[in-house]
Amino acid sequence: MALYFLLMHVVLFCSPVLEAQTPNSPYFSWTKELKNELFYVRQYDKHARPILNSSEQVIQVDVRFSFSRAVFNEKDGILETNGWLGLRWLDSMLKWDPSVFGDMRNLKLISDLLWKPDIVVFNSVRGYDPMPPSQATLLHDGTVYYIPPLYLVTPCDPDLTKWPEGFIKCEIRFGAWTLDSTEILLGILENETKADLIHYESWSSQWEITETAVSTNSYFNCCNPYYQDVAVTVHLKRNSSPAEKIAIVSSAGIWIIVLSSYWMSPNSADRQTIGYSGFIGMILILVIFLWKLPTGKNVPVLLITHLVLLLQCGSNCAVTMMNRRLLQRSPKSAPLWMRRMVNNKILDTLSPRREMLTEIELNQAHIPLGTGNDSSTLLSSSSTVPDETGQPRLMQTFKTCISEDLDIWYRVATLFDRLAFSIYLLSFILVSAFIVVLYTREK
């Protein structure tokens, strides 16, 4: 009797389970059956490399990277990348016959259930983090497709020669952390030599990807067995921003104005204002460029050019102040060799002679009138004799002589201006020629 009740108990409580395991049951699933076969019946171990026999020692792992976003952080010199890493390998422990499991040819499951190669980003600035969990696709022949989404931060060493424009090259290196070449062999998925840019969108108006390349490398050749990595090389092009273009045009305008000021009168107050304003303007533009300058090797040609312009603006201020001091000197202090120099016919074309200086220039000049009685008597007794213009005859003659002496210093100051103009223009031509040759050679 006890045996009878035991059999009835088994039939009553186990009949729903037995019914659920038949294909006609509404709770039946080939996916559950397949998972039960692969992971429980076969006792799958995700911590062991999935090889059946000694002939399958090396597992081929194919890699492909797809870009969705790439932005270069200029101040820190790093490349921030979003994308997907595609991995494919053969798991011999997870094969099945589709005809036995309802013609199921693939299975979607979480990647944590599977063995995965310990792929990391070797040159990541955030450490060697493992690949994140993601959905994987398992085919009936044991092929596994594992495509985790990634956010990568890798260093770059940009060449700043052509900044704010130019190109930079960055690398993203994928490789196994512990598995050597006798355990896995890295390759490129579908033998593609370029990264996937189908889903790429340029999130920055300044940086855009122009070219990519993918290659496999072997390193640690000193040791046997060796290790491998897959290098994804990306070339990015930088476009200058509107603010940088405005700053460059403003620098050119400052240069032209300062250069033309050398043809103004040596004692012009406007010229002094132009020189000081240009010097301050160049300092502000340099501060803007230094604030936006990224981290990298080489000094930008643009920065060198603006340093030259800053020195030229400073030299313009120095020449202007020197000329104003010359025009305030006594006319009798000009040496004989200087008088002969300014009277040269060749120099007359650079520094034209003036017939009479203005009243302001005569008043600003330090004219020694003497303290003797003869000179005072001469001026007082003859200054009242008028000439044809209505001015005292002796005073008119005295002004003419003083004008001729003061004109020497004026011509000397003008010669300094012409010499500074020539040096100013020649230096800028040399710098411009260097820039043209540099850009032409690199193209």
Side-chain angles (χ1 to χ4, degrees):
M1 183 64 69
L3 180 61
Y4 174 78
F5 283 107
L6 179 61
L7 292 176
M8 291 296 294
H9 178 78
V10 170
V11 171
L12 291 176
F13 286 94
C14 296
S15 57
V17 177
L18 296 175
E19 182 180 1
Q21 293 178 352
T22 61
N24 296 328
S25 172
Y27 302 103
F28 179 82
S29 172
W30 285 115
T31 302
K32 294 180 181 179
E33 292 293 322
L34 182 57
K35 286 183 178 181
N36 182 67
E37 169 68 22
L38 295 178
F39 296 103
Y40 297 104
V41 176
R42 299 182 185 180
Q43 296 182 352
Y44 181 81
D45 186 4
K46 66 179 181 179
H47 301 292
R49 285 192 312 121
I51 56 175
L52 291 177
N53 50 56
S54 58
S55 63
E56 297 181 357
Q57 289 296 327
V58 181
I59 299 178
Q60 176 75 29
V61 179
D62 296 326
V63 181
R64 187 180 185 182
F65 188 75
S66 301
F67 284 92
S68 63
R69 171 181 173 269
V71 176
F72 179 66
N73 188 328
E74 297 184 355
K75 299 305 295 182
D76 297 330
I78 57 177
L79 178 66
E80 301 178 5
T81 307
N82 291 87
W84 300 273
L85 179 64
L87 299 175
R88 182 183 68 181
W89 67 89
L90 181 65
D91 194 323
S92 301
M93 304 296 295
L94 296 178
K95 296 180 180 180
W96 74 88
D97 185 1
S99 62
V100 178
F101 294 93
D103 200 28
M104 285 191 60
R105 297 183 177 274
N106 62 76
L107 181 63
K108 305 290 192 307
L109 40 79
I110 192 68
S111 61
D112 287 343
L113 298 175
L114 305 175
W115 173 90
K116 301 188 297 293
D118 55 346
I119 302 296
V120 298
V121 181
F122 283 154
N123 60 337
S124 174
V125 301
R126 301 191 304 169
Y128 304 106
D129 295 331
M131 295 293 109
S134 177
Q135 289 290 326
T137 301
L138 176 63
L139 303 185
H140 68 91
D141 59 356
T143 302
V144 180
Y145 288 93
Y146 170 50
I147 310 175
L150 299 178
Y151 170 71
L152 306 177
V153 181
T154 52
C156 288
D157 190 12
D159 186 359
L160 303 179
T161 304
K162 295 183 178 181
W163 188 86
E165 295 187 352
F167 297 86
I168 64 170
K169 182 175 71 173
C170 302
E171 274 191 351
I172 306 174
R173 296 171 52 208
F174 299 96
W177 185 244
T178 59
L179 301 174
D180 55 47
S181 58
T182 63
E183 297 172 309
I184 66 169
L185 186 63
L186 295 179
I188 302 175
L189 189 64
E190 307 299 340
N191 294 323
E192 292 285 347
T193 59
K194 297 182 181 298
D196 183 15
L197 297 177
I198 297 178
H199 305 284
Y200 170 72
E201 294 183 8
S202 180
W203 293 75
S204 173
S205 59
Q206 287 189 335
W207 294 98
E208 59 179 346
I209 296 178
T210 58
E211 185 181 357
T212 61
V214 183
S215 61
T216 57
N217 305 299
S218 300
Y219 55 100
F220 297 159
N221 293 326
C222 64
C223 308
N224 190 17
Y226 60 88
Y227 290 80
Q228 287 182 300
D229 71 354
V230 175
V232 179
T233 305
V234 54
H235 298 261
L236 294 99
K237 178 184 178 183
R238 189 187 193 280
N239 301 315
S240 56
S241 63
E244 294 165 348
K245 294 179 180 179
I246 292 174
I248 294 174
V249 173
S250 301
S251 302
I254 291 174
W255 176 78
I256 294 174
I257 294 174
V258 173
L259 181 65
S260 61
S261 68
Y262 281 111
W263 293 89
M264 299 174 66
S265 176
N267 59 350
S268 174
D270 295 336
R271 172 178 166 175
Q272 193 171 7
T273 304
I274 291 175
Y276 292 151
S277 301
F279 186 76
I280 296 174
M282 290 305 303
I283 290 178
L284 294 177
I285 293 175
L286 274 175
V287 169
I288 294 174
F289 285 154
L290 290 175
W291 177 65
K292 297 178 68 66
L293 186 66
T295 303
K297 62 182 180 180
N298 299 336
V299 179
V301 176
L302 180 68
L303 190 62
I304 298 176
T305 305
H306 280 73
L307 286 175
V308 173
L309 292 178
L310 180 63
L311 292 176
Q312 291 178 344
C313 291
S315 63
N316 177 269
C317 296
V319 172
T320 301
M321 289 187 293
M322 181 183 65
N323 288 342
R324 292 178 68 87
R325 292 290 297 174
L326 286 176
L327 295 177
Q328 293 177 0
R329 298 187 59 155
S330 171
K332 300 300 182 182
S333 62
L336 182 60
W337 65 269
M338 186 175 293
R339 297 171 181 270
R340 293 177 179 177
M341 180 185 69
V342 297
N343 290 327
N344 190 296
K345 293 182 179 180
I346 298 177
L347 297 179
D348 281 344
T349 58
L350 298 176
S351 178
R353 187 187 301 274
R354 300 190 304 177
E355 295 183 356
M356 182 69 70
L357 297 182
T358 63
E359 292 288 340
I360 298 177
E361 293 171 336
L362 286 172
N363 295 331
Q364 290 179 349
H366 296 277
I367 305 173
L369 297 177
T371 57
N373 295 328
D374 295 336
S375 59
S376 302
T377 306
L378 178 62
L379 290 176
S380 61
S381 61
S382 303
S383 59
T384 56
V385 181
D387 62 356
E388 294 81 359
T389 61
Q391 295 184 347
R393 187 181 304 276
L394 181 58
M395 183 59 67
Q396 181 68 22
T397 305
F398 184 71
K399 284 187 177 182
T400 302
C401 296
I402 294 302
S403 297
E404 293 177 356
D405 291 333
L406 284 177
D407 189 54
I408 296 175
W409 289 113
Y410 183 88
R411 299 186 70 192
V412 170
T414 306
L415 286 176
F416 281 144
D417 283 344
R418 301 299 180 266
L419 179 62
F421 172 83
S422 302
I423 297 175
Y424 193 114
L425 185 61
L426 180 61
S427 62
F428 191 81
I429 291 175
L430 292 177
V431 173
S432 301
F434 170 75
I435 295 174
V436 172
V437 171
L438 178 65
Y439 276 64
T440 306
R441 182 183 61 184
E442 292 191 359
K443 287 183 180 180

